[in-house]
Amino acid sequence: MRRWIGGLLAAWIGVVPACVLAAGVATVQAGDRTLTVSFDGPDARVDVSGISQGYLLMRDGKLYSVMQAGGRPLVMDGAAAAQLLGGGLKTAPEMVRTLTRIEPTGARETVAGRAGAVYAASYRDEQGRDRTGQGVLGKQPEVRELTRALGRMAVLLQTAAGQSPDGVRQVLDTLEEKGLGLLAYEKQFRVERLAATPPAPGSLDLPAQPAQLPPELGQLLQGLRRQ
């Protein structure tokens, strides 16, 4: 729930219409953090290593931040979560502004037990610099749905923070047209494990009704976030 969530996730994934619904639980390495992603159609949950008392939850097209306060769950909507995160959601300079190309290299790689194809990507970043990289893309329904789930969440975070996700939407439009999902990209993103099974019952439910963030609690959580 820091800059790397908006930056690393949105570097490759955005919002697309779900054509093939799938459910699953994945472990994703995103930079120096490990994400546990549970998803079932349009709903998803992301637990982050090192943050034991909170997680992000997406339900019915809305984003929530769930934390523990006084032994009880505290649920905030996306706008409140973005306000809490403050400057932590600034647009990363390496994010996509304009996609130039995504083309197969002819190489193959297996990631998280899924066969994928290696693609070369070129794009212009937020600072106008040309960048290149390689990613592994797969056609499996659960891989495509994982990409969609993380993408919807990343774009909701950006939107709540008043940022434009137009660049990453170009990437997702291209992936959707090709019928592909993201398995890995450089050292920034890699699916380590992916089980095409439904998440644990109740894990995608709202544990409480969304609440307004009291100013004094916001100051406390800001202090915890900096630790």
Side-chain angles (χ1 to χ4, degrees):
M1 288 156 32
R2 299 185 183 186
R3 174 178 177 175
W4 56 269
I5 289 183
L8 291 176
L9 297 185
W12 261 84
I13 43 186
V15 158
V16 294
C19 301
V20 179
L21 297 181
V25 179
T27 301
V28 176
Q29 194 66 33
D32 60 351
R33 294 283 185 159
T34 300
L35 314 181
T36 300
V37 186
S38 306
F39 58 96
D40 190 352
D43 300 332
R45 167 176 169 166
V46 174
D47 293 83
V48 183
S49 63
I51 303 178
S52 60
Q53 298 297 315
Y55 57 91
L56 292 173
L57 182 67
M58 184 170 60
R59 291 277 304 180
D60 303 321
K62 296 182 179 180
L63 181 66
Y64 302 93
S65 176
V66 181
M67 307 187 77
Q68 293 291 323
R72 297 181 179 180
L74 173 66
V75 179
M76 298 177 291
D77 63 19
Q83 181 181 11
L84 170 62
L85 291 167
L89 284 177
K90 291 180 180 178
T91 300
E94 67 272 16
M95 285 173 57
V96 178
R97 176 189 291 175
T98 305
L99 177 67
T100 306
R101 68 183 180 95
I102 297 179
E103 296 179 352
T105 65
R108 308 285 300 180
E109 185 175 337
T110 298
V111 178
R114 271 71 177 179
V118 179
Y119 279 69
S122 299
Y123 67 94
R124 181 157 293 179
D125 69 15
E126 289 291 341
Q127 294 186 345
R129 296 173 297 187
D130 292 326
R131 290 180 175 265
T132 60
Q134 289 192 347
V136 183
L137 307 179
K139 295 183 177 181
Q140 298 82 0
E142 64 272 21
V143 176
R144 297 176 63 189
E145 198 64 46
L146 171 63
T147 301
R148 293 181 182 120
L150 286 174
R152 286 190 289 263
M153 188 172 287
V155 169
L156 287 172
L157 269 172
Q158 286 184 289
T159 302
Q163 300 170 7
S164 172
D166 289 347
V168 295
R169 281 199 175 103
Q170 292 183 38
V171 178
L172 260 293
D173 287 345
T174 302
L175 293 183
E176 191 70 13
E177 290 172 3
K178 296 178 181 293
L180 296 168
L182 180 65
L183 283 165
Y185 182 71
E186 295 291 334
K187 296 181 179 180
Q188 300 176 25
F189 182 98
R190 189 175 186 89
V191 180
E192 299 291 350
R193 289 184 293 274
L194 176 55
T197 56
S203 62
L204 301 184
D205 294 342
L206 277 175
Q209 290 301 309
Q212 295 294 322
L213 182 65
E216 61 274 13
L217 183 57
Q219 294 173 4
L220 172 62
L221 295 178
Q222 286 277 11
L224 292 175
R225 181 174 65 85
R226 288 191 291 267
Q227 295 179 2

